[in-house]
Amino acid sequence: MCGIVGYVGSRPSAGILLEGLERLEYRGYDSAGLALSEGGAQGFSLVRSVGNLARLREAAGHRSSSATVGMGHTRWATHGRVTEENAHPHLDEAGRVAVVMNGIVENYRALRAELSADGVHLQSETDAEVIPHLIARSYEGDLVDAVQRVTARLEGHFAFIAAHADEPFRLVGARRECPLVVGVGDGEQFLASAIPAFLSETRRVIEVESGEVVAVEAGETRIWGAGGLRTGAPVRVDWDQGAVERGGWESFMLKEIHEQGAALRDTLGGRLRPDGSVDLPELGLRAPALARLRRVQIVACGTSYHAGLAGRHLIEEWAGVPVAVEVASEYRYRAPLVGPGDLVVGITQSGETADTLAAMRLARGRGAHVVALTNAPGSQATRDADGVLPTRAGIEIGVAATKTHTAQIVALALLALRIGRLNRALDPDRVGALAAELLALPGLVDRYLASPAAREVEAVAARCAGEGFFLYLGRHVGVGVAYEGALKLKEITYIPTEAYPAGEMKHGPIALLSEGTPVVVVATDGPVLDKVLSNVQEARARGARVIAVATEGNREIAAHADDVLPVPSSLDLLSPVVAVLPLQLLAYSVARERGLNVDQPRNLAKTVTVE
Ligand code: M6R
């Protein structure tokens, strides 16, 4: 949720940290701060501000510091309101210890009470502030020791960076579940929540494992884990720097919408052959076990859950295996009937979503084979799973997920095809035909995004941008698309939406309709199109203004809708990939009409590492 970054080297750290925070801002952007290690008696200079990084830059610009060691934080508030006092870094009372943290200290109430009883005056309402006070009290001349002792007392999941003024050229980090990586430079080192924070400076990375403590100095990294001290060997990452920059695009979201063809191509790349054979070596399940699967459960949150809804149709219809799709935050607190012989797919683009991770662990504990469908290689989800089903969408910065969503659907289609081929639910001719449909998808997506139809979405958006409520409807595979379209709109425009299976509209939501209410309906060609159109009539009869996503060339739709958003023809089970595109663009254009920042929608963060 929050982003943390630290730097130890020989260059002035403030600018480097601000740049690192800018690359992490997608993780949270309600307030931010820096602590710069001025050395010895001077301790730390602290600058914090409410608002996004532009504010912090401004505040930091008024101070001059040549400190070559420091840490920074960009916050998504969990404990305590968005105020300067609650912004990180936090210091101990004497100002000798500085800490930035991402995650949650679950036993913070007890720890705060203990500190208060000992006469410590806490300055903020946060859980994180207990850490510098506890470190100060444990400190006996070695920050690593103090951090190890304090970490053992903390419950929850977190990653933090600590510094002590008596050891001014050293940063110590600790991680439990939340990510922390070391960037190894030339005589300088970085510690951060994610690689983009230092990608412009170095590509040599050491992953810190959950439960480890790491100390970085300008020329050295040491890591302590369960097995004692280890010197991590850096691995070179070949990420494209352009992926973490907007390039010429006006926002990350728009850039990422247009990267969807490439994301699908890369996700399919080398895995699917024209004869329909599918290679998924990271699944960790051999062919006989896949052929014998009893059932599949999919757990996910938000947009990833919506991809799971498309996946259910694909796996049930292509592989003939029953599928349940569940919201991870509910699943984890049920007593799900799951066990050996079941495949559980946790879908999480970030690989960090706390609820999805918990649901995956629960299923694994009960003996199911758990696979992480993720866009983040090496993420916690991949470590908590028996196998991985990767998407290769490239890093996604926009808070509203777009390219990772369509890539997830394609990855689920690969899984469905592989199972269906192995358990012979599909005959060889059909396998080949489905492979051809899947391989055609990236081209369809590219063609649509470059077409006049995609540009025409702007005009539709301009006509409805002033509305106060939207209803989204779909049936069959269109339901997940309707949910996703509605989520996109509410996330980045703040307009209330309702999304429903179209057949259910008459059981309640129809009461929401009045003259001119925009009803966005997913009406692509498929077995239920006639049923959808009947539901559209019911809405129109109540004065609704219908915006229909339809298959290009379908002449019937125009008679049923006020606006038609045509998309290329595809296999109906794969149509969620193309049908969601105009809905992403519609949300985007409405937000633009309203002058909103689509990359930093209010109250949201890209990764949700708290439950
Ligand atoms: O990283 P994940 O896929 O696990 O994230 C799940 C949701 O938090 C995420 O999809 C969220 O709903 C997005 N903001 C949607 O645009």
Side-chain angles (χ1 to χ4, degrees), residues 301-304 347-350 353 399-401 408 487-488 491 608:
C301 302
T303 287
S304 295
I347 310 180
T348 165
Q349 75 79 23
S350 63
T353 300
V399 168
Q408 287 164 348
L487 178 63
K488 287 288 91 84
E491 272 189 303
V608 184

Side-chain angles (χ1 to χ4, degrees), residues 295-318:
R295 59 187 172 172
V296 175
Q297 294 185 352
I298 295 176
V299 290
C301 302
T303 287
S304 295
Y305 169 76
H306 300 154
L309 294 176
R312 173 167 62 196
H313 289 277
L314 288 160
I315 297 169
E316 289 193 337
E317 295 197 27
W318 290 2

